[in-house]
Amino acid sequence: MIDAVVGGVIIVTATSSLLMALDLAQKAFDESGRYPLTTEEKDILVRAGIDRDDSEDFYVKNILSLPRDAQ
């Protein structure tokens, strides 16, 4: 009888941990790409031929406009 209770607790704990991990991963994907460009990222865009003035426009038009859903 005690074995069944311990097994049930283990199953509930494992299931809860899995669901929390999935929720955390979903939140990470939802929030990715929503931060302003770092200095290093701006330098990469400049080296790619995009002026510093245009780097924010490039970011807004090409990165933020991408679809947010994974398919």
Side-chain angles (χ1 to χ4, degrees):
M1 178 72 178
I2 291 180
D3 292 343
V5 172
V6 171
V9 169
I10 291 172
I11 290 171
V12 168
T13 303
T15 303
S16 299
S17 298
L18 176 63
L19 292 175
M20 287 185 345
L22 289 173
D23 186 49
L24 181 65
Q26 183 64 38
K27 285 180 183 178
F29 280 118
D30 288 343
E31 293 178 5
S32 65
R34 294 188 184 215
Y35 302 100
L37 293 175
T38 64
T39 305
E40 293 84 14
E41 292 168 332
K42 289 178 183 178
D43 290 339
I44 291 170
L45 290 175
V46 168
R47 285 187 302 221
I50 299 170
D51 295 338
R52 280 207 184 272
D53 298 333
D54 296 334
S55 64
E56 287 296 324
D57 292 334
F58 177 84
Y59 176 69
V60 169
K61 289 178 186 173
N62 294 299
I63 305 299
L64 293 180
S65 64
L66 290 174
R68 305 286 308 160
D69 297 330
Q71 296 185 17

